[in-house]
Amino acid sequence: GGVFVLGTYKTLGEEQSWQTDSYLALVGSLMSIGNALGRLSLGALCDRYGFLPILHCMAGASALALSTFTLGASSRAAFTAWCVVVSFLYGGNFAVYPTATVAIFGKAHFAANYGFVFLGFGVCGVLISTLNLLLVDGVGYLGMMLIVGAFAAAGTCLSAFTRWATLGSGTPVATDPLLDT
């Protein structure tokens, strides 16, 4: 979902009567700050509480933010807030996913395993831009945000299986306090 918003926020903003190019450039800068803060703060929370509760919270918050994103198009402040929140959550992925990869698969082949995880961002970028080209004229940006939000909601549901996958992997999971209970 973050990939979609990062790539289309300006197009969505340009459809609003209140937009200006300089304002949308400012939103892009604020999104970069949100992304960096997401990496730092969600990474710190991941260190404190383990990856699993943070992953669940990020996935759920992303689903909510993406599903309601077009509500923020009604004003500059709301649009900016939604963009920054989505960027914040997207940035958190880059702090949480490496920890999750090690906890689930172990350290032995971290680089190769995380390479596959990271490849998902690239594949997602291609798929979401293709999906956008095919569907946006028919469903509009509201429909696209609902579709992306539904994918994020599915990710939230799938994240519930992470605990079982981790417990069944045979990998020591002491790196995540939640899994030790």
Side-chain angles (χ1 to χ4, degrees):
V3 172
F4 179 72
V5 172
L6 292 172
T8 60
Y9 82 94
K10 192 167 183 186
T11 306
L12 177 60
E14 286 173 346
E15 292 184 350
Q16 310 309 314
S17 60
W18 43 258
Q19 75 79 24
T20 63
D21 226 20
S22 60
Y23 168 71
L24 292 173
L26 173 66
V27 171
S29 297
L30 293 173
M31 288 171 68
S32 294
I33 293 168
N35 185 299
L37 291 174
R39 292 172 191 231
L40 295 172
S41 59
L42 293 171
L45 289 171
C46 183
D47 288 343
R48 182 174 175 108
Y49 299 108
F51 80 93
L52 205 51
I54 307 306
L55 178 67
H56 294 318
C57 290
M58 282 177 26
S62 291
L64 181 63
L66 291 164
S67 297
T68 61
F69 189 87
T70 54
L71 296 176
S74 60
S75 73
R76 282 184 173 201
F79 181 78
T80 302
W82 256 274
C83 285
V84 171
V85 165
V86 170
S87 297
F88 176 88
L89 294 166
Y90 179 70
N93 292 327
F94 296 100
V96 174
Y97 288 0
T99 303
T101 302
V102 169
I104 294 170
F105 300 108
K107 294 179 185 177
H109 302 287
F110 168 73
N113 289 330
Y114 189 66
F116 280 109
V117 171
F118 203 79
L119 180 65
F121 288 103
V123 171
C124 178
V126 171
L127 290 176
I128 201 69
S129 62
T130 303
L131 188 65
N132 188 44
L133 286 171
L134 295 173
L135 296 178
V136 75
D137 288 337
V139 299
Y141 280 102
L142 171 61
M144 287 304 300
M145 287 299 177
L146 292 174
I147 290 168
V148 173
F151 280 117
T156 303
C157 294
L158 288 174
S159 75
F161 294 103
T162 305
R163 178 178 171 79
W164 295 307
T166 303
L167 292 174
S169 69
T171 302
V173 292
T175 56
D176 195 329
L178 184 65
L179 296 176
D180 291 337
T181 59

